Amino acid sequence: MEPMGVGILGAINPHNITTRASDVSPSPVKRLVKPSSYLLSPYMNKKTRVELKMTRPEWMLGNSIFAMRGEKLERVFETRSGELYSVRLIMETLAPGLEVDANVIDCLGAIMNHEKRSREAGCPLRHFFPTGCIKTLFARHLKLYGHNKHASIRKVKPRITNLKWKTKNNSIDCGVFTMLHMDNYTGEAPGKWDCGLVTESKEQSNQLRVLRFKFATKILLHEVNVHAARMYDLALEFDKLPPGEKMSIIITAVRNRDERDLKF
């Protein structure tokens, strides 16, 4: 005697019994969505290189922020902890011809403190304090926690090293020099240290101009910045404008920067 249903066309058996799942189409395989390669930030854990060429993202991000469009108090950089942020008006000081605001330097410092866990082999451990942390306050902090170096820190006198790329006629790019030194210096003797800058010249001015684009991109697209994706999208949107129109907007914005500041 055959089991019930065996050999009978259309009979119900454990192999063809209808279930709720079989009434609907099979669930599609979920597509793995990867973030844009630009948002993976090729700048993370790498020294900023001094060169006269820019990548496409650097050109787009720089143009977008230097166009000085949008709400001035909009946060364009913010750490995940919320302890440090920068607004559009401040980040715009990375534009060529402007003095870089100290807050921008602090943003880079936060990024580099985040990256120290993945520093290159042989690179000494470094920590960057906010630009407003003066020597006396730092020494007082060390004393409060019983550090035996607090007295020597209070007495130490800063020295200005004789670097081959020092300038006599450039007081605008101090912030750019500072950020490059932060990003590149790892304890070498001043005479043996080469950050990539040439001596003061037209070529050096061009190098510093390109560095402004590179630092803008490193700061705005870094994984530390919770607004990175939005900043990239805004850069893509601005890049859709005709080249001549983009350049005209940027030139006019930099020229009228003082007026934009007065409305702050």
Side-chain angles (χ1 to χ4, degrees):
M1 181 177 178
E2 292 184 352
M4 183 177 64
V6 175
I8 302 176
L9 186 63
I12 297 176
N13 60 57
H15 301 290
N16 65 9
I17 188 169
T18 302
T19 64
R20 290 178 61 88
S22 63
D23 287 334
V24 296
S25 301
S27 299
V29 177
K30 290 185 177 181
R31 182 171 64 90
L32 181 61
V33 179
K34 296 182 179 180
S36 164
S37 59
Y38 298 136
L39 294 182
L40 293 177
S41 190
Y43 304 92
M44 290 188 293
N45 307 318
K46 294 182 180 179
K47 293 181 179 180
T48 301
R49 296 177 58 185
V50 177
E51 51 191 355
L52 291 177
K53 60 182 180 180
M54 283 181 266
T55 64
R56 184 65 180 170
E58 289 167 349
W59 178 247
M60 290 194 309
L61 261 293
N63 285 340
S64 176
I65 200 71
F66 302 158
M68 304 183 189
R69 307 173 88 189
E71 174 55 46
K72 292 184 289 186
L73 297 183
E74 173 192 7
R75 294 189 180 189
V76 296
F77 176 88
E78 186 173 3
T79 57
R80 298 190 181 280
S81 65
E83 294 179 357
L84 177 66
Y85 69 88
S86 184
V87 298
R88 181 176 292 278
L89 186 70
I90 298 300
M91 195 61 64
E92 289 169 356
T93 62
L94 274 170
L98 300 180
E99 292 186 19
V100 178
D101 192 273
N103 173 255
V104 177
I105 299 174
D106 288 340
C107 291
L108 180 65
I111 286 173
M112 298 188 66
N113 287 338
H114 172 80
E115 290 183 346
K116 66 184 179 183
R117 68 192 72 176
S118 304
R119 67 187 188 279
E120 298 175 357
C123 178
L125 180 63
R126 302 177 298 166
H127 184 83
F128 295 92
F129 290 89
T131 51
C133 182
I134 60 176
K135 182 182 66 174
T136 303
L137 290 178
F138 181 42
R140 188 180 303 170
H141 171 80
L142 293 179
K143 183 178 181 180
L144 179 64
Y145 285 90
H147 198 287
N148 59 7
K149 291 289 185 180
H150 70 88
S152 57
I153 291 294
R154 186 184 295 272
K155 296 177 182 178
V156 71
K157 294 182 179 180
R159 292 184 303 164
I160 300 178
T161 58
N162 188 24
L163 302 172
K164 69 176 184 179
W165 54 88
K166 67 179 181 179
T167 63
K168 295 181 179 179
N169 304 305
N170 182 357
S171 59
I172 294 296
D173 290 312
C174 297
V176 184
F177 281 108
T178 299
M179 291 190 290
L180 181 64
H181 293 171
M182 290 167 59
D183 203 4
N184 278 260
Y185 185 65
T186 53
E188 302 90 339
K192 297 181 179 180
W193 179 36
D194 183 5
C195 71
L197 287 174
V198 299
T199 56
E200 187 173 17
S201 59
K202 178 64 175 178
E203 182 181 354
Q204 187 195 75
S205 297
N206 290 334
Q207 287 179 322
L208 293 168
R209 175 179 173 275
V210 172
L211 281 171
R212 288 173 177 266
F213 283 79
K214 291 182 178 294
F215 282 125
T217 307
K218 176 163 186 167
I219 292 171
L220 295 175
L221 290 192
H222 199 278
E223 66 176 8
V224 165
N225 184 18
V226 298
H227 305 296
R230 178 166 56 84
M231 297 312 298
Y232 180 64
D233 288 341
L234 290 174
L236 283 176
E237 193 64 28
F238 183 71
D239 193 55
K240 294 177 182 178
L241 297 176
E245 183 178 349
K246 285 187 293 188
M247 192 55 59
S248 177
I249 291 173
I250 294 170
I251 292 174
T252 301
V254 175
R255 186 177 297 159
N256 298 329
R257 172 65 187 192
D258 290 342
E259 182 180 343
R260 183 169 169 84
D261 272 338
L262 290 174
K263 294 179 180 179
F264 178 60

